[in-house]
Structure formats: structure tokens, C-alpha cells
Amino acid sequence: MDLGISGKRAIVCASSKGLGRGCAEALAAEGVNLVITARTAATLNETAAYIRDKWPVEVTAIAGDITTVGGRKEVLAACPDPDILINNAGGPPTGDFHDWSIEDWMKALNANMLTPIELIKATVDGMRARKFGRIINITSSAVKAPIDILGLSNGARAGLTGFVAGIARKTVIDNVTINSLLPGPFDTDRLRGNFEAVSKASGASVEDIRKQRAASNPAGRFGTPEEFGAACAFLCSDKSGFITGQNILLDGGAFPGTL
Ligand code: NAP
């Protein structure tokens, strides 16, 4: 299927690794020119070089923290009028809510709720004026089924989801859709980090936790960044203008609800 987005411009936040990188690669494969971001310049530049080598697209790498005003400013200066915006940032740490201070909450809210809202605010009016826009927020399955040790994520991402539910119904009149992708367990550094936290708390080895978690998923495995990117690219396509305000779970069937 031709997704009809060749030549479009995308900002893909937090995309040197993992799910963000999966999205960047899938968009590049469709001919989308990219601005990719991450804090660590070396890894980011390697990813940019890999993508440029594999697909004939422009890739601009902006090293910086997307959760800061300055970091966002640099990204928007590199691409002030994107057609596609993929909101993503590192997830908050695991822990027990008794230990979290207001500062811990502000950090999580800033990264996983306010940063995407700021980037939407900066880009959505231009998309509406140009009559094409696709905004995807990478959130978490925790939006649908909270994960006890990830309370900061449960809370912050639910806030973003509520906000987006309101505006996604306003922008679609101008062919600007806003949707969220909710990853369940995907095989990335982030998931490995969560296993390490569980291992510390439980005493079980990381490898045993990994095997047990993979086996407990209905698919018998974790998802891959490539699968995640493919779903993202479809939602960014010119075929998906009638899908907006949706929260799409990619979890191998782990969520047990009928709907
Ligand atoms: P990952 O493999 O650890 O990759 C995270 C990427 O984001 C890296 O490129 C990282 O590079 C970049 N990054 C992190 N913080 C950043 C910041 N402040 N500014 C700019 N770039 C930043 O993580 P992932 O698994 O892809 O997870 C992506 C998101 O999905 C996270 O919010 C995570 O909580 C959520 N999620 C993941 C899973 C899963 O199973 N993997 C499940 C549910 C939710 P630098 O470190 O160099 O900045």
C-alpha cells in the first residue's frame, strides 16, 4: 500500500533508539524527511547515518532534551512546519508513590504530558492551515490498564490522553488527526530497565523475569520497534484521515477486555 506521504516532513521526538526509532525508520521507508531527536548526540548521529544510508530522505539530527523549552525550540527551528509530529520522551521511573515528591511528579508531568502538549500547540495551527497533519503520541498500555510500579506514568499519560481527546475532534475538520499509540511490552532498552527494577525488588534474575514476561503475553513474545513503527506510519498516512482521537493498544493481546 502506498501511504501517500512521500516528501512530507516529520518531527520524531526521542528517536535514536527504541519505539521512536521504529517510527522514524518506518516513516523514512515511506519517503518522509525527518528531524530526529535524543539527548545523546553520538547515538543520535549513528541513527541518522543509518537512516540516510538506507533510504533516500533528508535526516536532520537535533541533540537535546525535548522536555526543555530550549530543546523544543531547536527542534522547531529545524522544522517549523512539520506535516507529522511523533511525540515521545523517556518514561518516568518506577517506584512507590509514597516516595514521590512534587518535584518527581512535575518531572513526569513535564515529560509525558506538557511536552507533547507544547509541541502540539506549536505545530497544529500550521497543519490545519495546510490541510494535512498527523500527530501521534507514544503513551503506554498503562493508560488503559495501570501498572502499579509505574504510577508516575499512569498519571501523567492519562492527563495527556484526556487533553488530546478534546482537541482531536476539533482539528480533524482540517484533515489533522491526533491519535495515541499505547505500547505494551516492546523489546527496547526501556523494557530491559524495567526488568532490572523488578529484579532488584524481587531478587529474581533479569533473564528469568524476561522469559516469564514474554511467556505470559498471549503472543508469547515482546513486540518489536519495527511493528510499532509500521502502525505509526499507517496512522500518519493519507489513508487515515478518518481516524482521530483514538488510543490504539499494541500489546500482543495482553489487555483482557472485549473492547
Ligand atoms: P528507549 O528504548 O529507552 O528509547 C528512548 C529514546 O528516547 C532514546 O532514543 C533516548 O535517547 C530518547 N530520549 C529519552 N528521553 C529523552 C528526552 N528527554 N529528550 C530527547 N530524547 C529522549 O525507550 P522506548 O522503549 O522506546 O520507550 C519510548 C516511550 O514509550 C517511553 O516513554 C516509554 O516509557 C514508553 N513505553 C515503552 C514500553 C516498552 O515496552 N518499550 C511500554 C510502554 C511505554 P537519549 O537517552 O539519548 O535521550
Side-chain angles (χ1 to χ4, degrees):
M1 188 191 297
D2 177 4
L3 297 187
I5 47 176
S6 181
K8 301 266 187 218
R9 297 169 302 262
I11 294 175
V12 187
C13 301
S15 50
S16 67
K17 295 194 288 184
L19 304 180
R21 178 171 177 163
C23 295
E25 290 193 15
L27 290 171
E30 295 301 321
V32 174
N33 297 313
L34 303 172
V35 169
I36 62 171
T37 91
R39 292 163 302 182
T40 314
T43 332
L44 182 68
N45 290 334
E46 273 172 33
T47 300
Y50 175 89
I51 295 174
R52 276 187 213 111
D53 201 43
K54 198 156 174 196
W55 295 285
V57 295
E58 286 168 24
V59 184
T60 307
I62 304 289
D65 186 339
I66 199 68
T67 71
T68 64
V69 174
R72 289 190 290 275
K73 215 171 163 183
E74 278 195 53
V75 169
L76 290 165
C79 186
D81 51 2
D83 306 299
I84 294 168
L85 166 66
I86 312 297
N87 277 317
N88 186 31
T94 55
D96 182 317
F97 79 94
H98 295 95
D99 301 327
W100 295 329
S101 62
I102 290 286
E103 286 70 31
D104 295 324
W105 274 108
M106 292 311 292
K107 227 172 153 181
L109 290 169
N110 179 48
N112 300 114
M113 178 182 173
L114 301 177
T115 290
I117 291 173
E118 283 291 290
L119 287 168
I120 291 171
K121 191 172 84 178
T123 56
V124 75
D125 292 344
M127 291 178 181
R128 291 187 72 171
R130 295 188 302 277
K131 304 293 179 202
F132 181 92
R134 299 287 183 262
I135 299 175
I136 308 291
N137 305 299
I138 300 180
T139 63
S140 171
S141 63
V143 169
K144 223 170 142 72
I147 300 168
D148 61 353
I149 56 168
L150 280 170
L152 290 169
S153 173
N154 300 338
R157 297 188 199 277
L160 174 65
T161 304
F163 167 76
V164 162
I167 62 158
R169 271 91 186 174
K170 290 217 174 268
T171 59
V172 69
I173 190 83
D174 292 318
N175 190 24
V176 177
T177 64
I178 312 180
N179 294 289
S180 297
L181 286 175
L182 284 54
F186 277 79
D187 199 1
T188 66
D189 285 2
R190 164 75 179 177
L191 191 68
R192 290 185 272 277
N194 286 355
F195 293 160
E196 277 157 25
V198 175
S199 165
K200 245 187 209 166
S202 67
S205 77
V206 171
E207 199 38 45
D208 283 350
I209 294 164
R210 184 185 168 76
K211 275 192 194 146
Q212 185 270 325
R213 280 286 303 280
S216 70
N217 187 282
R221 65 177 178 89
F222 302 125
T224 68
E226 291 75 20
E227 290 173 310
F228 193 87
C232 175
F234 178 73
L235 283 178
C236 292
S237 75
D238 72 353
K239 313 286 182 288
S240 65
F242 208 55
I243 305 174
T244 198
Q246 300 305 300
N247 290 283
I248 297 166
L249 191 58
L250 284 81
D251 71 345
F255 181 73
T258 305
L259 292 173

